Amino acid sequence: MKKSTPTSSDPKAPSGNPDGTDNTAELYAALLDTADTGSIAISQDGTICHWNRWMQTRSDLTPHQVLGKQLAEVFPETRLGRVSQAIEDCLKFGMPAVISPSLNQGALPLKPLPQFAASFDRMEQSIRIHPIKTSNDGTLCSLTIRDVTLAVQRDRLLRQQATELADLVTQTRRSEGRTRAILQNTVDAILVASDDGNIEPLNARAQELCGPDGDPELRNIIRFLLPDSGNTPPPRPPQDRILTDLGTGVIEVLACSPGKRDVPLEVAISHFSTDGRYHYIITLRDISQRKRHEMEIQRTMTELERSNSELEQFAYAASHDLQEPLRMVSSYTQLLARRYEGQLDDTADEFIHYAVDGTQRMQRMIDDLLTLSRVGRHGKPFHAVALNALFDALVTNFRRAGPTPEGNIIREGTLPTVTGDASQLLLLFQNLVSNGLKYSDPENGQVRIYSEETPNSYRVFVADNGIGIEEQYHETIFEVFKRLHGYGDYAGTGIGLAICKKIVERHGGSLSVTSTPGEGSIFCVEFPKELPIVVTPESM
């Protein structure tokens, strides 16, 4: 009877062993079948004669499906060029070979373990090919397949991490180079100090100021400024070396440069913690140029204040001194007009009329100049002013001045309470209201006052229905003696709006106008909720 073909599923029959059936062969076959690696034996004719259980599990092919077939027949869709060549060399020349994943990734289409299947789409394999001599001087080819998927993935991860680390090192070196270049080329001196008081200059400017050739006392000054200067803090520096009070938050010190020139420095100190210790970053900025600019600005401000004071004194003195001769001229011209009116010819009467009118206009101009000069010099202290009450006083003043159409001055809504000089604010709104009525129809003229609030200010609007102002004159009208109409058309000296603007500026606000010819004008007075620092102390 013909002997049946042995299979790896039958432990009593050694797989692919044509030479014997003893217990040793059976044990050897059982060991191969239960190994944790794949085992394939290829006979001299290139067909498979052994296929262990590991291969059966990973390929889903039983020994009955593969024994007696070529490896290329079992995996017809897989390119086995390198594996096939290695098997051929092994059978023909007895040459062993190792096929690693780096040379032939996924040589056989085998499944990875279930715990890896979700992460890896294929098994990475290491295949060892060895010749096996049989007792009849034949040669078999043994293929040992190891699953190295996890090792390959770990190697790839390590390579990726190594590449990233190399990139990080390169970037760090570049960053260090840039930082070093920035430190060396910055105009500020930068030092680092530890909590024991040790100070190290970090750039050339710091070495120049605090090094061996720099100011010998500057290190002591810096140690004195540090929050913790060790067990033996340095003595307090001389008063002339610390320019600003330590409690102000901005510390300025005076250092001596190598050229024996005093250099004012601004000191900024910040800290960081490392290795369980505090370290301090000290930045010294040369503020010599800023100090020079501050002195120039201070001198300029002093000159401006002196010049403005002189101009105000001159305007006041000139206006005041002109009052007496002008009153004399005005009195005698009016006397001539009353005594000789109708007694001389018409030309003489006209001349006398011009003289009287001229002196009266000059009187009004001098009065307005006096008012303008007194805005800054004779202002009263600021306090809370309720604009509602101010509006009531304004309406009363207009009614006392002469008959006016009922309801021609209207307040819409509630006006705010602002901080200022009540008498000047009353003059401000009287001028704006008077200006709106003057350039409106006497019968139908109307001025509305209303307000709105912004996050930082109150805006009060004075709107009229007069003749309006062309846009090109919206800034010009606030200048002294700037009139858009002749004296015969509308009364006034051309100073009223200039007075308004100066009053608003004294209160730290702004005055502007929006207007369209023929549709009226809207003057906007904006008062800050908090007075700016430009308001002089005398104003308060």
Side-chain angles (χ1 to χ4, degrees):
M1 189 173 80
K2 187 176 179 181
K3 189 176 181 179
S4 62
T5 304
T7 67
S8 62
S9 58
D10 185 3
K12 296 181 179 180
S15 300
N17 186 356
D19 298 323
T21 58
D22 57 3
N23 292 336
T24 303
E26 291 179 1
L27 177 62
Y28 177 69
L31 289 174
L32 289 178
D33 200 42
T34 58
D36 61 351
T37 58
S39 178
I40 304 175
I42 306 293
S43 61
Q44 188 67 39
D45 61 359
T47 60
I48 299 171
C49 58
H50 174 73
W51 189 269
N52 74 343
R53 190 176 302 166
W54 190 94
M55 287 298 299
Q56 178 179 343
T57 303
R58 299 303 180 87
S59 65
D60 289 335
L61 296 173
T62 64
H64 294 289
Q65 294 175 295
V66 299
L67 293 179
K69 295 182 179 180
Q70 300 276 346
L71 196 62
E73 294 179 76
V74 177
F75 303 114
E77 298 180 358
T78 304
R79 297 178 59 183
L80 302 174
R82 187 172 182 80
V83 176
S84 299
Q85 184 64 45
I87 293 173
E88 183 179 346
D89 292 342
C90 180
L91 293 173
K92 186 180 295 186
F93 306 109
M95 182 184 298
V98 176
I99 300 176
S100 65
S102 60
L103 298 177
N104 196 343
Q105 295 181 356
L108 300 177
L110 304 178
K111 298 184 300 180
L113 290 173
Q115 59 266 36
F116 300 146
S119 303
F120 309 130
D121 55 353
R122 65 184 179 187
M123 177 199 296
E124 301 292 351
Q125 308 151 29
S126 172
I127 302 177
R128 293 181 177 272
I129 299 175
H130 287 278
I132 300 176
K133 295 293 184 177
T134 62
S135 58
N136 56 2
D137 295 330
T139 301
L140 298 179
C141 178
S142 171
L143 277 70
T144 303
I145 300 97
R146 294 182 179 276
D147 184 354
V148 293
T149 302
L150 189 60
V152 169
Q153 294 298 329
R154 186 184 297 112
D155 179 68
R156 289 175 183 172
L157 179 61
L158 290 175
R159 289 175 183 273
Q160 180 182 355
Q161 291 176 344
T163 302
E164 293 175 353
L165 181 60
D167 292 341
L168 181 60
V169 170
T170 302
Q171 293 175 6
T172 302
R173 288 176 177 172
R174 291 176 181 173
S175 177
E176 288 178 353
R178 286 194 298 266
T179 302
R180 191 176 298 109
I182 292 171
L183 283 175
Q184 291 301 325
N185 291 281
T186 184
V187 296
D188 296 338
I190 303 176
L191 308 94
V192 61
S194 55
D195 53 8
D196 59 3
N198 183 40
I199 298 174
E200 178 185 356
L202 293 185
N203 62 352
R205 181 57 174 158
Q207 188 68 32
E208 178 185 349
L209 290 173
C210 303
D213 299 329
D215 186 351
E217 294 296 328
L218 187 54
R219 282 178 172 267
N220 288 335
I221 295 175
I222 293 174
R223 289 192 184 98
F224 176 79
L225 297 176
L226 293 178
D228 183 4
S229 299
N231 297 325
T232 57
R236 184 181 180 90
Q239 289 296 115
D240 57 350
R241 299 300 296 272
I242 295 184
L243 303 181
T244 56
D245 184 11
L246 296 179
T248 62
V250 178
I251 305 170
E252 295 178 7
V253 302
L254 191 64
C256 183
S257 68
K260 304 304 179 183
R261 180 177 63 88
D262 290 338
V263 179
L265 301 174
E266 185 177 76
V267 183
I269 300 175
S270 60
H271 72 273
F272 64 94
S273 178
T274 180
D275 299 329
R277 297 180 61 186
Y278 269 107
H279 299 270
Y280 302 94
I281 297 293
I282 303 104
T283 303
L284 306 177
R285 174 167 296 178
D286 187 344
I287 55 174
S288 302
Q289 187 174 7
R290 191 178 79 189
K291 287 294 185 181
R292 287 194 294 270
H293 289 169
E294 289 177 356
M295 292 177 63
E296 288 293 331
I297 292 172
Q298 186 62 38
R299 281 197 295 268
T300 303
M301 292 295 296
T302 303
E303 284 293 321
L304 285 175
E305 290 176 1
R306 184 185 60 80
S307 177
N308 286 337
S309 178
E310 291 177 352
L311 286 174
E312 289 177 355
Q313 291 176 6
F314 171 77
Y316 179 80
S319 301
H320 184 272
D321 293 344
L322 285 174
Q323 292 284 352
E324 192 274 331
L326 185 60
R327 281 195 295 268
M328 182 180 294
V329 173
S330 178
S331 299
Y332 278 103
T333 52
Q334 292 178 20
L335 183 61
L336 285 173
R338 288 196 301 270
R339 180 172 296 183
Y340 296 103
E341 184 177 5
Q343 298 182 22
L344 303 175
D345 56 15
D346 294 340
T347 301
D349 289 344
E350 185 178 359
F351 290 165
I352 293 172
H353 171 72
Y354 287 152
V356 172
D357 182 65
T359 56
Q360 290 175 346
R361 284 194 288 111
M362 185 173 289
Q363 183 70 48
R364 289 194 295 271
M365 291 175 66
I366 291 174
D367 290 338
D368 286 347
L369 280 174
L370 280 171
T371 303
L372 182 64
S373 67
R374 288 170 176 165
V375 169
R377 289 173 52 84
H378 299 284
K380 296 179 181 179
F382 285 4
H383 56 84
V385 179
L387 295 186
N388 283 326
L390 194 76
F391 174 83
D392 295 336
L394 182 148
V395 173
T396 301
N397 288 347
F398 272 96
R399 288 178 180 173
R400 289 175 180 173
T404 57
E406 190 70 23
N408 63 338
I409 304 175
I410 303 171
R411 177 180 64 193
E412 297 181 354
T414 302
L415 301 179
T417 297
V418 299
T419 302
D421 183 341
S423 60
Q424 288 190 352
L425 292 179
L426 179 60
L427 177 61
L428 163 69
F429 287 107
Q430 280 187 170
N431 282 353
L432 292 177
V433 172
S434 175
N435 197 69
L437 294 175
K438 178 170 64 175
Y439 292 100
S440 301
D441 183 1
E443 298 297 329
N444 301 315
Q446 189 178 82
V447 175
R448 297 179 297 110
I449 301 178
Y450 56 95
S451 67
E452 69 177 17
E453 182 178 359
T454 70
N456 300 315
S457 65
Y458 297 107
R459 293 175 180 171
V460 182
F461 299 90
V462 180
D464 63 64
N465 59 352
I467 61 175
I469 306 168
E470 295 183 6
E471 185 176 359
Q472 58 183 325
Y473 300 117
H474 286 183
E475 296 294 331
T476 306
I477 59 174
F478 296 108
E479 299 177 11
V480 179
F481 298 130
K482 293 295 184 179
R483 293 176 53 89
L484 305 183
H485 307 278
Y487 289 106
D489 298 329
Y490 296 96
T493 60
I495 304 178
L497 289 178
I499 293 174
C500 292
K501 187 173 182 64
K502 192 167 184 179
I503 291 174
V504 173
E505 288 175 349
R506 186 194 170 217
H507 288 72
S510 62
L511 175 61
S512 60
V513 64
T514 56
S515 178
T516 303
E519 298 182 7
S521 305
I522 302 176
F523 287 85
C524 174
V525 183
E526 186 165 10
F527 296 100
K529 291 183 177 179
E530 295 184 3
L531 291 179
I533 59 174
V534 296
V535 178
T536 60
E538 291 79 3
S539 299
M540 300 299 293

